[in-house]
Amino acid sequence: MEQWKKQWTPLLPERVAEILERLPDDAPLLEIRLRCDRPLELVFDGSDRIVYGNNKAPIVEENELKALLRRLTGYSAFAWENERKSGFITVGGCRVGLSGRMIRTEDGVLGFSTVSGVCIRIVREVKDCAKPLLPYLLCGGRFRSVLLVSPPGCGKTTLLRDMIRIASDGLYGAVPCRVGVADERFELSGDANGAIAFDLGTRTDVISGISKSDAAVRIVSTLSPGILAMDELNDANDAKAVSEARGKGVAVFATAHGADGKDLRLRPAIGALLDAHVFERIALLEGVGRLTSVTDGDGLRVDAVSQ
Amino acid sequence: MKTIGIALLFALCCLAGVRLGAKKAAPLKMIRAMRAGLQSFSDRTASGATLADAAEPADDAFRERLSVYLESLSQGSAQADAAGRASAAFGASDAVRSGAELFFCGLSDAPRAELQRRIEAFGAVLARAEVDAENESKQARVLRSAGFLVGTGLAVLLL
């Protein structure tokens, strides 16, 4: 049985687990979406499937969703309070997005009063998936700073994780290098009770559980990395942390949501990074892990260079 | 023969005193262990540990009861049933049992502030129970001494 089945079937409601067990082990499942009193949605690479119960009955009921949340949080809602405020929890390196009714106070968001939907993103560790990208990134065995860009669900995080492993272990012509990972949501390292669950290489240090920008500042100032890795650049704080790291001679591996360079420039913080030529390479992905183009800081297409 | 009889009577009186005293002294040990367990649980949960992880280094008495609660929930029991089972294991007194039930019921869904409030409330129940148990423990010492004195008195009279 594939790892994701072993991980998820004991946690999910019985009817959902039965449906998943019937899927072939190599099914390219990306997401499991459960909504209260609605059918189940399974998202595959390139397609999705809506699964109803008998007589078009819903697959997941309210009490099953509540029980699922209890299992996902280890019966300890308090331990995930901050994450829940941000609309997600992370279970074994998989991000579980939540939807429902939230409560707002004068100080900000208090949390969910009712959770009506859960979106589980299946994480797979795909070793060597970053290998086709290496000829664009390596220069004399050293990595250039790179921004991986794609719409959600195209495997940026998986690719980034493999790049970290290759850089850290010095594989395929790369010079071994210390990598610091700012892992706000435990998605790169996978949370195994504070330990690193995924293979991120031998020279990798991770700071997780705090904002990416705060983690990046600590990594650069205390762990002296050669490369800083950050998943999903979002705001001005993230952009500032990347600029600071680059200014201190640290290469940066980062990802951002977007369909292309034009999309990215609509986001002020990321646009400013591109204008400042902080990234030496921008790799665009389409579909799951499919590399469409690699450009330099000026937006000019670059060719692969064999090492 | 008479001496053996007197010695047996003396031993019997002392034993009765010790046994009655031990019964009264037992809750104090359990309550103290429970308070220590609750304190360690409080420290661990404050640093973000889940219920199962927080109970790990705690005293056996506390950990076992928390395990009963978590196992009941994982087997699909309702909150009230799981809390009932966990608190039934608190044999100390009715006050401690109902305090435990209030602590456990809905614990898995409690936000951090609520968890802290519950820890404080249950801690207060245990503190009161400890005072009661200390009084009982004093009575236990009196019973042990009384057993010895009665035994000695009877032995002197019979001799």
Side-chain angles (χ1 to χ4, degrees):
Chain A
M1 194 188 281
E2 221 205 333
Q3 185 59 35
W4 65 265
K5 277 194 187 177
K6 279 187 201 156
Q7 182 183 4
W8 288 104
T9 47
L11 294 171
L12 291 166
E14 210 171 314
R15 277 180 291 182
V16 177
E18 280 170 12
I19 291 164
L20 291 183
E21 272 175 1
R22 287 203 296 268
L23 289 177
D25 280 351
D26 59 353
L29 184 65
L30 300 178
E31 288 177 0
I32 305 164
R33 289 175 177 259
L34 301 97
R35 299 181 179 96
C36 187
D37 296 330
R38 294 279 183 278
L40 173 72
E41 184 183 2
L42 299 175
V43 180
F44 298 92
D45 180 11
S47 67
D48 67 353
R49 213 167 106 190
I50 303 291
V51 186
Y52 291 90
N54 293 336
N55 301 321
K56 292 241 165 187
I59 293 283
V60 186
E61 288 166 9
E62 190 182 353
N63 58 346
E64 289 175 312
L65 208 57
K66 280 183 181 167
L68 169 65
L69 269 178
R70 287 197 188 111
R71 287 193 292 273
L72 292 178
T73 56
Y75 302 99
S76 312
F78 64 90
W80 301 92
E81 209 166 290
N82 291 337
E83 287 83 357
R84 281 175 65 133
K85 278 182 196 171
S86 306
F88 75 97
I89 54 175
T90 310
V91 181
C94 296
R95 190 198 305 177
V96 179
L98 308 173
S99 61
R101 186 173 184 170
M102 297 195 85
I103 307 167
R104 192 174 53 190
T105 63
E106 284 177 4
D107 301 330
V109 175
L110 188 67
F112 280 92
S113 62
T114 318
V115 174
S116 58
V118 167
C119 168
I120 298 164
R121 292 182 76 176
I122 304 293
V123 171
R124 290 183 180 82
E125 200 172 19
V126 187
K127 288 196 175 172
D128 292 339
C129 66
K131 215 172 153 186
L133 196 57
L134 297 182
Y136 299 96
L137 304 184
L138 287 172
C139 176
R142 303 205 173 271
F143 273 95
R144 294 182 170 100
S145 290
V146 59
L147 180 65
L148 304 174
V149 181
S150 82
C154 290
K156 291 185 295 295
T157 306
T158 307
L159 198 60
L160 178 60
R161 198 182 292 125
D162 198 44
M163 283 165 56
I164 294 168
R165 180 184 68 91
I166 290 171
S168 175
D169 284 343
L171 305 173
Y172 310 119
V175 175
C177 180
R178 271 193 305 278
V179 184
V181 180
D183 192 18
E184 181 175 348
R185 298 177 173 188
F186 313 100
E187 286 178 287
L188 287 168
S189 59
D191 184 33
N193 291 325
I196 299 173
F198 295 120
D199 182 3
L200 293 181
T202 47
R203 296 174 186 81
T204 300
D205 301 298
V206 181
I207 292 186
S208 54
I210 57 172
S211 75
K212 286 185 288 284
S213 51
D214 285 343
V217 169
R218 284 163 176 78
I219 286 167
V220 172
S221 60
T222 61
L223 297 171
S224 56
I227 295 170
L228 168 70
M230 291 169 77
D231 198 14
E232 288 185 22
L233 299 184
N234 275 324
D235 55 22
N237 290 332
D238 294 345
K240 190 179 167 199
V242 168
S243 296
E244 287 281 330
R246 289 289 289 126
K248 289 175 181 172
V250 178
V252 175
F253 291 171
T255 70
H257 287 319
D260 52 36
K262 281 182 196 162
D263 270 9
L264 284 179
R265 287 186 189 279
L266 294 175
R267 301 173 62 184
I270 314 284
L273 289 177
L274 297 181
D275 290 342
H277 293 82
V278 165
F279 294 104
E280 296 158 285
R281 293 287 182 266
I282 293 141
L284 298 176
L285 305 177
E286 193 183 73
V288 178
R290 282 190 286 274
L291 190 63
T292 53
S293 73
V294 180
T295 60
D296 65 11
D298 293 316
L300 301 171
R301 196 178 276 261
V302 291
D303 295 324
V305 178
S306 58
Q307 291 295 309
Chain B
M1 198 66 182
K2 189 183 171 189
T3 316
I4 294 171
I6 289 168
L8 277 174
L9 190 65
F10 175 73
L12 207 66
C13 288
C14 289
L15 193 68
V18 167
R19 285 208 61 176
L20 284 171
K23 254 189 184 175
K24 284 190 173 285
L28 182 61
K29 275 187 185 171
M30 198 271 269
I31 286 166
R32 281 186 174 155
M34 209 64 71
R35 283 192 78 188
L38 187 67
Q39 184 56 52
S40 136
F41 173 81
S42 171
D43 295 343
R44 298 265 297 166
T45 49
S47 59
T50 59
L51 292 181
D53 291 341
E56 202 47 50
D59 179 87
D60 281 352
F62 189 79
R63 189 176 61 228
E64 278 166 20
R65 284 153 182 83
L66 197 60
S67 299
V68 170
Y69 172 72
L70 291 173
E71 267 170 37
S72 300
L73 282 184
S74 67
Q75 285 160 10
S77 297
Q79 282 285 346
D81 292 341
R85 264 177 230 148
S87 54
F90 285 83
S93 69
D94 286 348
V96 173
R97 269 196 299 277
S98 54
E101 202 157 348
L102 285 174
F103 173 74
F104 279 116
C105 196
L107 183 65
S108 68
D109 298 332
R112 189 171 296 282
E114 169 65 11
L115 177 77
Q116 201 50 44
R117 193 195 62 73
R118 282 169 186 240
I119 288 171
E120 280 165 19
F122 190 37
V125 168
L126 288 176
R128 278 196 298 275
E130 189 176 343
V131 172
D132 292 344
E134 270 169 0
N135 290 335
E136 296 264 303
S137 178
K138 277 177 199 158
Q139 287 175 22
R141 278 200 296 276
V142 171
L143 279 172
R144 276 196 294 270
S145 307
F148 175 75
L149 285 175
V150 169
T152 312
L154 281 174
V156 169
L157 279 175
L158 290 170
L159 280 170

